[in-house]
Amino acid sequence: MSRYLTSRRLFLILGSFIVLMIIAGLTLSQTGRRATFPERVLMDVQSAVSSIVYRPVSKLTGFFAGLTNLRQMYEENAALKQEMENYQALRAQLTDAQAENQRLETMLHFYQRTASQLHEIPAAVVGREPSEWNSALTINVGSANGVAPNMAVVAPDGSLVGRVDTVSAHSARVVLITDTELGDGVSALVEASHMQPFGVITGSTSNPGELNLDFLGQIIQLPASQLVGDEVVTSGLGDVFPRGLVIGTITKVIYGAHNTAKAAIVQPAAQMDFLQDVFVVRAQGSTP
């Protein structure tokens, strides 16, 4: 019996709702008036149902929209990261190209300036051992290119690097001027000084990478200010180094008895730690 009453009650509620919808539908077409009671009931019911359904659906839609935006942001971030990596690689390549271009321009300028006085063979540094960093390096030209022992080797700007020691067909070992066992050293003179004192350049044992200049004869009572900062060049005495190759700059003068300058410390002009390209040179007309 209760089941029958429940079903009947639901039927009456559903029927009443349908009647309200019909009445509201008949009156909704009329505009500019106050809503009737059936209309208000229907609108309240629709509003309640819509608020119950709309909020979860809206949140769910927003959640999926957020996932979509997050994925798009991830893809855009990955694309920007790849572009940044490509940019960094291109920037590094540009920097290398600019540095190489600068070296080649420097080499070309030296070649054009000295082509009438020197026979020049361009070469690249292909080997350098850390254990003898200040002593020797290997270049990629040899006897097949006209290289012979005891030829001078200079940096792209023409500053002295060392001399060829041993030669094979397509490579050669170069002893640097900073080597402490260069043999008899390099005959040099202080060109900027009015006295132009002669001396011998050898590698410094106390300060690796620097040079010692031992003066030949006494320079009596010569103020240090007249030597510090002066340029030291090859004297041309001997068969290895042509005259006028820049060796370096005096940074300190060492005095002996009676205030006489007996030696000096010289900073090499060539950037010894960053050598990539060099010239093997000899005076024009000399026998290799």
Side-chain angles (χ1 to χ4, degrees):
M1 184 68 178
S2 61
R3 187 175 182 182
Y4 172 73
L5 290 175
T6 302
S7 300
R8 183 178 179 182
R9 191 174 300 158
L10 289 174
F11 178 76
L12 289 174
I13 294 172
L14 181 60
S16 300
F17 185 72
I18 293 173
V19 172
L20 286 172
M21 290 183 65
I22 293 172
I23 296 172
L26 292 174
T27 58
L28 279 174
S29 60
Q30 301 176 9
T31 59
R33 60 177 179 77
R34 186 181 179 85
T36 62
F37 176 74
E39 290 174 346
R40 291 197 300 271
V41 173
L42 182 61
M43 292 172 64
D44 291 342
V45 172
Q46 287 179 336
S47 176
V49 173
S50 297
S51 63
I52 294 173
V53 175
Y54 174 76
R55 289 179 181 176
V57 172
S58 177
K59 291 182 178 180
L60 187 62
T61 303
F63 173 74
F64 284 110
L67 289 179
T68 301
N69 293 336
L70 183 62
R71 182 175 180 180
Q72 290 177 349
M73 290 177 61
Y74 175 79
E75 292 175 351
E76 291 175 359
N77 183 63
L80 289 174
K81 185 177 181 180
Q82 183 62 45
E83 290 180 3
M84 182 60 69
E85 291 177 354
N86 294 338
Y87 170 76
Q88 294 293 347
L90 289 174
R91 185 176 180 180
Q93 293 176 6
L94 177 61
T95 301
D96 289 343
Q98 290 174 336
E100 182 178 5
N101 184 63
Q102 181 63 43
R103 292 197 308 271
L104 292 176
E105 285 184 356
T106 302
M107 294 181 74
L108 179 61
H109 177 71
F110 172 72
Y111 179 83
Q112 292 174 338
R113 180 167 53 87
T114 60
S116 60
Q117 294 88 29
L118 299 175
H119 174 71
E120 300 150 324
I121 303 171
V125 177
V126 295
R128 198 166 182 180
E129 294 294 333
S131 60
E132 52 180 19
W133 190 260
N134 292 312
S135 299
L137 54 80
T138 303
I139 55 177
N140 66 343
V141 293
S143 57
N145 308 97
V147 176
N150 288 327
M151 280 186 169
V153 178
V154 299
D157 62 354
S159 53
L160 188 62
V161 169
R163 63 172 175 82
V164 176
D165 183 31
T166 55
V167 181
S168 64
H170 301 288
S171 65
R173 183 176 184 270
V174 177
V175 175
L176 305 178
I177 56 174
T178 49
D179 179 37
T180 56
E181 299 178 359
L182 189 59
D184 297 331
V186 180
S187 178
L189 60 86
V190 184
E191 188 175 50
S193 172
H194 68 281
M195 298 180 63
Q196 290 195 336
F198 282 86
V200 176
I201 287 285
T202 55
S204 174
T205 56
S206 57
N207 298 296
E210 293 185 341
L211 303 170
N212 291 331
L213 173 61
D214 293 317
F215 292 113
L216 300 177
Q218 293 183 342
I219 305 177
I220 302 175
Q221 296 179 346
L222 183 65
S225 59
Q226 292 186 15
L227 287 175
V228 173
D230 285 353
E231 193 172 70
V232 180
V233 301
T234 53
S235 66
L237 301 177
D239 299 327
V240 179
F241 304 104
R243 181 186 174 92
L245 298 178
V246 177
I247 299 174
T249 303
I250 294 177
T251 59
K252 181 180 180 181
V253 177
I254 300 171
Y255 286 90
H258 308 294
N259 200 31
T260 58
K262 67 174 185 178
I265 303 299
V266 177
Q267 180 65 40
Q271 298 294 318
M272 294 293 189
D273 290 336
F274 307 101
L275 290 173
Q276 298 185 52
D277 303 287
V278 295
F279 280 114
V280 180
V281 300
R282 60 179 172 84
Q284 290 283 19
S286 63
T287 303

